[in-house]
Amino acid sequence: MAILLFAEHDNTALSDQTARTLTAAAKIGAEIDILVAGNAAKGVAEAAARLAGVRKVLLAESEALTHRLAEPTADLLVSLAGNYDTIIAPATTTGKNVLPRVAALLDVMQISEIIEVVAPDTFKRPIYAGNAVQTVQTTDTTKVITVRTAGFAPAASQDAGAAIEEVAQAADSGLSRFVENRFSVSERPELSSARIVISGGRALGSEEKFREIILPLADKLGAAVGASRAAVDAGYAPNDWQVGQTGKIVAPDLYIACGISGAIQHVAGMKDAKVIVAINKDAEAPIFQLADYGLVGDIFELLPELERQL
Ligand code: FAD
């Protein structure tokens, strides 16, 4: 039996989360189809078809799929599920919104945020905010899986493309309706896929100071900006900058934590960074146990100095 990979995209570009999920899927089985559900998303389907190892791409286009709301998208996936023994998606906001509904409709248990494929029916996934790794074996006839993509390299793209087959959207149940998208417009790289992330914590003390101290440095480094939950809750940084268990999971080449103590819930979101730099005035702060490079001192002196040096 085969694997159906639910693609992540914005109707224009295919996210590299799809290529990473394909690498995970290839460890489960060889017959992998990608489902591109969207509206005017032919270009996305063509990009998906060029990913190495794809058998074919299923393209479902309709008004109801424009924003991939959970209800119509899950109906579509369930209508296709009979041909597949695995349905897999990256653990993005969309994947985490759609796949639980698919699992519920199929009456199977979702296996969430896998970080390793041990065997086609056995997976590793973090629990307790990443403090333990659980090995799960499933006997479900259809496996519904989300993938924490940071641990999987993106599958390569090639010139020759697999076939693209159009599939009909299942009837729209009309259970949900798209109202609006509110994006924070930024020139900086996207937090989840940035190569460098600089994050600020409660120590920043105010939104003004966060912007004054962290943003110029981020711009010089070409970095995405992250924040601890304490900084977000205090209103120093917007919600979508939060890194951690209840925020974004990041795995950049370089993560710079500024005035962040290193609570386990924060560490759960950034411990996979290749190089971690911590700047904190408390030499005993837990973040230093994790950091590759630690600087003990006041961020209000050190960060402007670092920016000048750059
Ligand atoms: P603090 O812990 O207050 O640390 C501030 C640090 O700044 C201290 O180490 C201090 O020494 C240092 N400092 C102060 N002034 C300076 C200065 N001038 N120069 C240098 N250093 C200075 N947190 C997250 O981040 N992400 C999550 O997703 C998340 N999810 C959670 C989920 C649950 C269910 C729970 C219970 C908590 C969660 N938290 C999360 C909160 C987490 O437990 C911590 O409270 C939070 O991470 C602390 O943020 P902080 O490090 O900025 O603040």
Side-chain angles (χ1 to χ4, degrees):
M1 285 276 267
I3 299 167
L4 183 61
L5 193 171
F6 173 51
E8 176 80 17
H9 65 92
D10 60 1
N11 292 318
T12 309
L14 183 70
S15 160
D16 98 315
Q17 306 273 339
T18 303
R20 290 176 183 273
T21 305
L22 179 57
T23 301
K27 292 180 194 291
I28 301 172
E31 297 178 322
I32 305 166
D33 297 347
I34 294 186
L35 170 66
V36 173
N39 198 4
K42 189 104 199 283
V44 175
E46 284 164 0
R50 284 194 297 275
L51 290 175
V54 174
R55 184 174 68 170
K56 67 179 172 196
V57 171
L58 306 181
L59 174 62
E61 293 184 293
S62 79
E63 195 69 39
L65 293 171
T66 308
H67 302 284
R68 285 161 297 290
L69 299 177
E71 291 78 4
T73 313
D75 287 346
L76 170 67
L77 278 155
V78 169
S79 74
L80 299 168
N83 299 326
Y84 299 93
D85 65 2
T86 301
I87 296 175
I88 193 166
T92 54
T93 308
T94 305
K96 290 196 276 190
N97 195 25
V98 173
L99 257 63
R101 192 174 175 85
V102 173
L105 290 168
L106 294 174
D107 198 18
V108 297
M109 186 95 150
Q110 173 169 298
I111 304 164
S112 302
E113 307 212 15
I114 64 162
I115 54 170
E116 191 183 324
V117 177
V118 179
D121 64 349
T122 311
F123 309 93
K124 289 194 177 177
R125 56 180 298 270
I127 54 169
Y128 302 127
N131 283 296
V133 174
Q134 179 184 52
T135 303
V136 197
Q137 186 168 30
T138 178
T139 52
D140 279 331
T141 42
T142 306
K143 296 184 280 288
V144 176
I145 299 170
T146 62
V147 179
R148 195 175 278 190
T149 52
F152 297 94
S157 211
Q158 58 194 13
D159 290 341
I164 299 174
E165 194 177 289
E166 298 203 1
V167 292
Q169 156 67 345
D172 181 13
S173 54
L175 285 172
S176 59
R177 175 173 69 85
F178 172 78
V179 179
E180 67 172 325
N181 260 336
R182 286 195 198 177
F183 292 117
S184 38
V185 182
S186 169
E187 301 280 292
R188 296 190 192 91
E190 209 275 311
L191 185 54
S192 313
S193 52
R195 283 186 48 249
I196 305 176
V197 174
I198 176 161
S199 286
R202 197 198 307 266
L204 270 307
S206 69
E207 186 187 357
E208 292 70 37
K209 280 288 170 198
F210 197 106
R211 292 187 174 273
E212 182 188 320
I213 301 284
I214 300 288
L215 301 196
L217 203 51
D219 291 338
K220 281 242 166 106
L221 291 167
V225 179
S228 71
R229 175 156 162 186
V232 170
D233 286 351
Y236 308 162
N239 236 326
D240 57 351
W241 288 2
Q242 184 178 316
V243 171
Q245 182 188 340
T246 42
K248 298 224 165 92
I249 308 285
V250 300
D253 293 342
L254 174 63
Y255 188 87
I256 309 174
C258 308
I260 291 179
S261 59
I264 53 165
Q265 296 90 352
H266 186 80
V267 167
M270 44 65 80
K271 65 177 168 33
D272 291 329
K274 288 205 183 79
V275 175
I276 296 171
V277 174
I279 306 172
N280 197 303
K281 70 176 183 189
D282 175 8
E284 304 294 317
I287 191 83
F288 287 127
Q289 292 167 18
L290 187 74
D292 299 287
Y293 299 92
L295 195 52
V296 179
D298 188 339
I299 49 167
F300 296 107
E301 289 168 16
L302 294 174
L303 294 182
E305 175 63 22
L306 177 59
E307 197 224 324
R308 276 194 295 277
Q309 298 283 336
L310 287 168

